[in-house]
Amino acid sequence: MDIVVLLKQVPDTEATIQIQEDGRTIKTQDIKWVINPYDEYAVEEALRIKESQGEGKVTILTVGHDRAVEAMRTALAMGADEGILIDDPAIDTFDGLGIARILAAAIYEISYDLIIAGMRAVDDDSYLVPTAVAEFLEIPSVSMVVRQEISDGKIRCERMVEGGTVVVEADLPAVFTTQKGINEPRYASLPGIMKAKKKKLEKKNLADIGLEAAQLSETGANTRVARLSFPPERQPGKMVEGETPEEKAAELVRLLREEAKVI
Ligand SMILES: Cc1cc2nc3c(=O)[nH]c(=O)nc-3n(C[C@H](O)[C@H](O)[C@H](O)COP(=O)(O)OP(=O)(O)OC[C@H]3O[C@@H](n4cnc5c(N)ncnc54)[C@H](O)[C@@H]3O)c2cc1C
């Protein structure tokens, strides 16, 4: 089975984020970049499917800049077979739908039976790219999967919903997105890291996959980031003074009445 994993490189969730002077983008220097955590589940699930079937190919597909190669090499070190990076100066101008159009155009040129993606990218949190890719490719899509089973050209997926589980079945080829709990991603081994250096990683631009930036900008940039801001800083907590519980309770009531003005 040939599987394509959609992998995005994102800032480490531990990274300190600073907003650029333009107020719409973040400062990217000094940030540690990692594989989007949900995409690690996607890589692991693809490898498990390939291993259980004893044949097939896992291709990592990324839209991003040159720095994304590091994340792709990590996926190759985990065991994926090859990678394709779509890099073009124009990609910064496209929103999630535009990125999905690019991914779909790149997938048209690859042989595939299954596409696996993360359910969300932890930086932009659009929750839309994989479903849009499925729509452009006119294939089924199942989101937030915690368990899957493939047989007779079909995939059965379990999705958790409030208070229960839904089992969804779809014909292959299909797209599904991974939810936390689906697996425990493996670490890349040292031999895996050495092998990954020699694995095929192709770099393409938009023209190479039959797209023109100008034509795509009409349909690939319907939304723009207008402003980025941090949540307001939390006020420091206040210790209620007093010798006895009664004194503390009286002081608390006074503060609620006179300072917080909530009673
Ligand atoms: C390098 C780069 C720079 C960008 N700069 C800007 C900018 O300056 N301003 C702006 O408005 N927009 C920018 N964008 C576009 C913006 O980040 C998109 O909204 C975003 O790619 C889609 O949203 P999401 O990643 O939150 O998708 P989600 O739908 O939350 O992602 C879910 C899943 O889709 C897959 N996926 C998502 N993106 C990619 C990808 N690029 N490659 C492979 N798989 C992917 C992953 O499997 C991911 O887990 C940029 C995108 C990239 C890649």
Side-chain angles (χ1 to χ4, degrees):
M1 171 163 294
D2 290 339
I3 307 172
V4 178
V5 175
L6 308 184
L7 181 143
K8 188 180 186 191
Q9 191 193 39
V10 296
D12 189 342
T13 46
E14 302 284 310
T16 305
I17 301 295
Q18 289 179 292
I19 298 172
Q20 294 266 31
E21 284 66 37
D22 68 5
R24 296 187 295 111
T25 49
I26 61 164
K27 294 186 179 169
T28 51
Q29 56 275 36
D30 304 328
I31 281 188
K32 183 175 173 227
W33 296 87
V34 296
I35 300 180
N36 178 43
Y38 290 91
D39 303 353
E40 279 188 48
Y41 299 129
V43 175
E44 178 63 36
E45 203 60 15
L47 296 177
R48 288 184 189 198
I49 294 170
K50 181 187 154 183
E51 285 159 4
S52 70
Q53 301 199 344
E55 55 163 3
K57 187 166 81 171
V58 175
T59 303
I60 304 297
L61 176 61
T62 298
V63 175
H65 295 308
D66 221 24
R67 62 167 178 258
V69 166
E70 196 186 337
M72 298 176 75
R73 287 268 176 226
T74 304
L76 296 177
M78 286 168 76
D81 298 286
E82 56 185 53
I84 302 171
L85 173 68
I86 312 295
D87 183 6
D88 197 287
I91 62 176
D92 286 357
T93 57
F94 301 131
D95 57 14
L97 202 59
I99 298 291
R101 277 188 198 280
I102 298 170
L103 290 165
I107 294 169
Y108 277 132
E109 306 193 332
I110 313 172
S111 137
Y112 68 95
D113 305 291
L114 181 64
I115 300 169
I116 314 181
M119 72 160 186
R120 56 180 271 238
V122 298
D123 55 352
D124 295 300
D125 254 338
S126 306
Y127 286 79
L128 75 82
V129 170
T131 314
V133 168
E135 183 64 19
F136 291 133
L137 295 173
E138 298 186 20
I139 58 174
S141 157
V142 187
S143 60
M144 301 167 88
V145 170
V146 290
R147 217 176 91 79
Q148 57 73 30
E149 210 178 286
I150 294 167
S151 67
D152 300 330
K154 290 192 183 344
I155 185 163
R156 268 168 83 86
C157 300
E158 285 184 19
R159 313 176 60 245
M160 306 304 286
V161 293
E162 184 85 28
T165 305
V166 180
V167 179
V168 180
E169 198 176 83
D171 289 332
L172 293 176
V175 175
F176 80 85
T177 70
T178 52
Q179 165 65 299
K180 218 180 261 179
I182 188 167
N183 58 43
E184 194 57 52
R186 70 195 67 186
Y187 288 105
S189 64
L190 193 58
I193 294 169
M194 301 309 288
K195 269 194 217 156
K197 291 183 183 159
K198 296 201 183 110
K199 288 186 179 171
K200 186 172 155 198
L201 201 158
E202 264 184 285
K203 293 184 190 175
K204 297 183 177 186
N205 60 25
L206 293 183
D208 294 331
I209 53 168
L211 293 175
E212 270 179 45
Q215 159 216 348
L216 194 62
S217 63
E218 285 170 25
T219 50
N222 294 319
T223 60
R224 284 178 312 282
V225 175
R227 187 168 62 88
L228 289 176
S229 59
F230 293 110
E233 269 190 38
R234 287 171 71 181
Q235 298 293 325
K238 189 165 195 164
M239 293 296 290
V240 176
E241 304 291 340
E243 291 292 318
T244 62
E246 288 78 11
E247 269 182 38
K248 287 181 184 167
E251 175 63 3
L252 179 59
V253 170
R254 187 190 70 74
L255 289 170
L256 290 171
R257 185 170 288 145
E258 293 175 13
E259 286 193 14
K261 297 191 186 345
V262 291
I263 54 172

